Amino acid sequence: MAVYTDVSDEALRAFLQEYELGELLSYKGIAEGVENSNFYLHTSTGHYILTLYEKRVSEADLPFFINLMGHLARAGLACPQPVRNRAGTALGRLCGRPAAIVTFLEGVSLSRPNAEHCRALGAALAGLHAAGRDFPMVRENNLSVGAWRPLFAQAEAQADTVAPGLAARTRADLDILEGAWPKDLPGGVIHADLFTDNVFFIGDAVSGLIDFYFACTDAFAYDLAISLNAWCFDADGTFHRDKAGAMLAGYDAVRTLEPAEIAAIPVLARGAAMRFMLTRLVDWLNVPPGALVQPKDPLEYDRRLAFHRTAADARDYGWEG
Amino acid sequence: MAVYTDVSDEALRAFLQEYELGELLSYKGIAEGVENSNFYLHTSTGHYILTLYEKRVSEADLPFFINLMGHLARAGLACPQPVRNRAGTALGRLCGRPAAIVTFLEGVSLSRPNAEHCRALGAALAGLHAAGRDFPMVRENNLSVGAWRPLFAQAEAQADTVAPGLAARTRADLDILEGAWPKDLPGGVIHADLFTDNVFFIGDAVSGLIDFYFACTDAFAYDLAISLNAWCFDADGTFHRDKAGAMLAGYDAVRTLEPAEIAAIPVLARGAAMRFMLTRLVDWLNVPPGALVQPKDPLEYDRRLAFHRTAADARDYGWEG
């Protein structure tokens, strides 16, 4: 949680002259997202989020992310809608960085979602997949199975300093995942990072999905597997079958899961846990001195992997279809 | 700029049950203030700021600050109005810290105010002094002339490592200030920290004054001297006589300055610069390892002191009354 770039009122006013957003009423740097600088922005036309893209987001990918949010919002999904400037583009520059203004979404992310929240999340995720069906752009998932062996190579020598045996069991998992990774599942645009902090609720209803900066083109069921990992385990590795079952049922009620997708859930869930274990492990072993951001614990996902190794089929994830 | 305390949605919901603020719609940690944790808060009844008081603010002083804001807001000043909970108090506890909710003020702080902004600030400051006239509580100014010698003692041995000659000229200034410090000027509640980031504007009009956590009981003209220092100099020490003259005139138009106050402006301005030079110097020499907050440069105020030493009377500050 950090604001990386200070934006003066003068710089912001100059930037806003490119937009038809009326008078600037207030703006505040907000502690949201670890990748970019975000500001709550209020003008006489409404409430917005201003984002300055810092160096962890590739500038070449920004048109995909911005156009995707616009596409999904127009299709009725509750996600940030990029605001176009007078020149008709939603991507500008501010303080030397790519910058965009999107609509503000009300809602609160939940620290401890229950099974009914997971059901609502499943339905919202299926809605996202449906809304993205006819999105014409493609972005390869550069954190899928092909990326894991090279990621692991960056951490392998030091992995056992984080947990004894971590290197050996990761190697064995990678062998299995690379051999069993499913091809030809139904796919399209996926969010790829739908953790609890990227989903807003008002009361018990989903009010918005945010942070599309890992979105890419991949199997829909892999997105579901990511959220199963993110929403249905405690940090100590305890699995909540009721939450997972509700999420799968909630998804299936909006977009019917195919038999091949249901069969693939255990390997996809195991792969999703591997992806987050590996990126966290690399970050954990490479914390720069004086870093402002506390790295996330890779062992939370090592513990999820222990569960996934024992799962035989989708029923172990609460699937009752 | 930092959010120090994470507040979960569950903790916030429990806290909000003590208030009549309707449904929680959103909240975001905001990068405002270096002393406390602040959150933008939106409920079905309106927009608010939630503040958790961290350890740099003395808990014993909080009733003064909270009651003062309530008093000033009721008197019509555009400042945050503390929201009382069902028990009738505006000061609660959240995440183990004292916490308060105040109304959200629209407006933007200016990075480069011009003379007309300074005139408006002068008028707003006089309005604050008038609105606080009948406030019954008293809080001694613990950063006034009596505190400067002890503050300097913490930094004296290392002062010349920051700038050659700083120790000697500070000693000489302290001798002069302690001898010449005015007594019996008109006084009451002062803000004592009215820098540009604590004043919001919409267009060219003042829309709000915030951050009353240095407020205390002292001479009104000393408050004006603090803002003269904060608003009318560039960081390199360049003085803008037009801005200072406009601020003094703007103040005088709302609350007529007495002859003794006008005569005291040079010594008060010099003392105000000393106060900020000294607290910045102590912070500068005591940055903890891994600190998140960049200390402010004490030499900005050493350069202001160089100007104040040359000033003979209020006319040197643009006074034309």
Side-chain angles (χ1 to χ4, degrees):
Chain A
M1 304 218 305
V3 175
Y4 293 93
T5 301
D6 274 329
V7 176
S8 74
D9 67 297
E10 291 176 327
L12 179 57
R13 283 181 217 278
F15 182 72
L16 288 176
Q17 286 191 341
E18 301 166 29
Y19 290 81
E20 292 181 344
L21 291 177
E23 186 175 22
L24 174 62
L25 295 177
S26 61
Y27 73 108
K28 317 274 184 199
I30 60 174
E32 192 160 270
V34 295
E35 306 278 328
N36 301 313
S37 300
N38 287 293
F39 295 83
Y40 163 75
L41 174 66
H42 186 202
T43 76
S44 50
T45 61
H47 301 266
Y48 306 92
I49 296 287
L50 164 69
T51 300
L52 276 64
Y53 298 97
E54 305 291 346
K55 61 179 185 295
R56 280 192 71 156
V57 174
S58 163
E59 194 160 348
D61 285 334
L62 288 174
F64 178 89
F65 302 140
I66 300 280
N67 289 337
L68 174 61
M69 284 189 277
H71 179 95
L72 295 174
R74 282 191 299 276
L77 193 78
C79 75
Q81 169 123 34
V83 177
R84 291 173 190 272
N85 60 23
R86 295 183 206 273
T89 172
L91 190 58
R93 286 196 84 80
L94 177 54
C95 297
R97 287 158 179 78
I101 294 172
V102 301
T103 52
F104 184 91
L105 289 184
E106 300 289 358
V108 171
S109 54
L110 305 178
S111 49
R112 291 198 306 176
N114 61 29
E116 288 315 301
H117 297 131
C118 290
R119 186 183 306 276
L121 181 276
L125 183 59
L128 187 163
H129 293 163
R133 276 276 189 194
D134 52 349
F135 182 61
M137 297 177 76
V138 169
R139 179 176 175 265
E140 188 193 354
N141 184 356
N142 56 19
L143 288 171
S144 186
V145 60
W148 301 339
R149 188 80 61 171
L151 267 174
F152 182 52
Q154 298 176 42
E156 187 168 3
Q158 292 176 274
D160 284 358
T161 66
V162 179
L166 181 59
R169 60 181 175 267
T170 301
R171 267 192 300 272
D173 274 343
L174 285 176
D175 289 342
I176 291 167
L177 288 166
E178 288 168 352
W181 199 245
K183 309 272 189 292
D184 303 321
L185 292 176
V189 168
I190 70 168
H191 184 285
D193 195 40
L194 208 51
F195 281 59
T196 55
D197 45 348
N198 291 332
V199 181
F200 293 160
F201 285 80
I202 295 179
D204 290 327
V206 172
S207 63
L209 310 179
I210 64 164
D211 203 348
F212 285 78
Y213 303 107
F214 287 94
C216 56
T217 312
D218 205 342
F220 293 141
Y222 180 60
D223 219 5
L224 192 50
I226 289 171
S227 291
L228 279 176
N229 274 281
W231 291 65
C232 306
F233 290 81
D234 295 337
D236 68 2
T238 303
F239 175 62
H240 294 278
R241 193 170 179 278
D242 60 325
K243 295 184 185 180
M247 187 184 293
L248 292 171
Y251 186 99
D252 185 65
V254 174
R255 185 196 147 250
T256 303
L257 287 163
E258 298 185 4
E261 294 179 284
I262 295 164
I265 282 172
V267 68
L268 293 172
R270 191 168 175 178
M274 176 61 71
R275 171 255 183 270
F276 287 98
M277 194 283 286
L278 287 172
T279 51
R280 287 183 173 201
L281 181 64
V282 169
D283 287 346
W284 188 268
L285 294 170
N286 292 280
V287 177
L292 296 181
V293 178
Q294 172 76 13
K296 292 175 178 164
D297 184 359
L299 297 182
E300 290 185 14
Y301 280 81
D302 183 47
R303 291 189 280 269
R304 284 162 169 78
L305 281 163
F307 171 84
H308 297 310
R309 279 179 213 118
T310 69
D313 60 31
R315 292 190 184 277
D316 289 327
Y317 293 90
W319 173 252
E320 294 175 356
Chain B
M1 305 220 304
V3 175
Y4 293 92
T5 301
D6 274 330
V7 176
S8 74
D9 67 298
E10 292 176 326
L12 179 56
R13 283 181 217 277
F15 182 72
L16 288 176
Q17 286 191 341
E18 301 166 29
Y19 291 81
E20 292 180 345
L21 291 177
E23 186 175 22
L24 174 62
L25 295 177
S26 61
Y27 73 108
K28 316 274 183 201
I30 59 175
E32 192 160 89
V34 294
E35 306 278 329
N36 300 314
S37 300
N38 287 293
F39 295 83
Y40 163 75
L41 174 67
H42 186 202
T43 76
S44 50
T45 61
H47 300 265
Y48 306 92
I49 296 287
L50 164 68
T51 300
L52 276 65
Y53 297 97
E54 306 290 344
K55 61 179 186 295
R56 279 192 72 156
V57 174
S58 163
E59 194 161 347
D61 285 334
L62 287 175
F64 178 89
F65 302 139
I66 300 280
N67 289 336
L68 174 61
M69 284 190 277
H71 180 95
L72 295 174
R74 282 191 298 276
L77 193 77
C79 74
Q81 170 124 35
V83 177
R84 291 173 190 272
N85 60 23
R86 295 183 205 274
T89 172
L91 190 58
R93 286 195 84 80
L94 177 54
C95 297
R97 287 159 179 77
I101 295 172
V102 301
T103 51
F104 183 91
L105 289 184
E106 300 289 358
V108 171
S109 54
L110 305 178
S111 49
R112 291 198 306 175
N114 61 29
E116 288 316 300
H117 297 131
C118 290
R119 185 183 307 276
L121 181 276
L125 183 59
L128 187 163
H129 293 163
R133 276 277 189 193
D134 51 349
F135 182 62
M137 297 177 76
V138 169
R139 178 175 176 265
E140 188 193 353
N141 184 357
N142 56 18
L143 288 171
S144 186
V145 60
W148 301 339
R149 188 79 63 173
L151 267 174
F152 182 52
Q154 298 176 41
E156 187 168 4
Q158 292 176 272
D160 285 358
T161 67
V162 179
L166 181 59
R169 60 181 176 266
T170 301
R171 267 193 299 272
D173 273 343
L174 285 175
D175 289 342
I176 291 167
L177 288 166
E178 287 168 352
W181 199 246
K183 309 271 191 291
D184 303 322
L185 292 176
V189 169
I190 70 168
H191 184 285
D193 195 39
L194 208 51
F195 281 59
T196 55
D197 45 348
N198 290 332
V199 181
F200 293 160
F201 285 79
I202 295 179
D204 290 328
V206 173
S207 62
L209 310 179
I210 65 164
D211 203 348
F212 285 77
Y213 302 107
F214 287 94
C216 55
T217 312
D218 204 342
F220 293 141
Y222 180 59
D223 219 5
L224 191 50
I226 289 170
S227 291
L228 280 176
N229 274 281
W231 291 64
C232 307
F233 289 81
D234 295 337
D236 68 1
T238 303
F239 175 63
H240 294 278
R241 193 170 178 277
D242 60 325
K243 296 184 185 180
M247 187 184 292
L248 293 171
Y251 186 99
D252 185 66
V254 174
R255 184 194 148 251
T256 302
L257 287 163
E258 298 184 5
E261 294 178 284
I262 295 164
I265 282 171
V267 68
L268 293 173
R270 191 167 175 178
M274 176 61 71
R275 172 255 183 269
F276 288 97
M277 194 282 287
L278 286 172
T279 51
R280 287 183 173 201
L281 182 63
V282 169
D283 287 345
W284 187 267
L285 294 170
N286 292 281
V287 177
L292 295 181
V293 177
Q294 172 76 13
K296 292 175 178 164
D297 184 359
L299 297 182
E300 289 185 14
Y301 279 81
D302 182 48
R303 290 189 280 269
R304 285 163 168 77
L305 281 162
F307 172 84
H308 297 311
R309 279 179 212 118
T310 69
D313 61 31
R315 292 191 183 276
D316 288 327
Y317 293 89
W319 173 253
E320 294 176 356

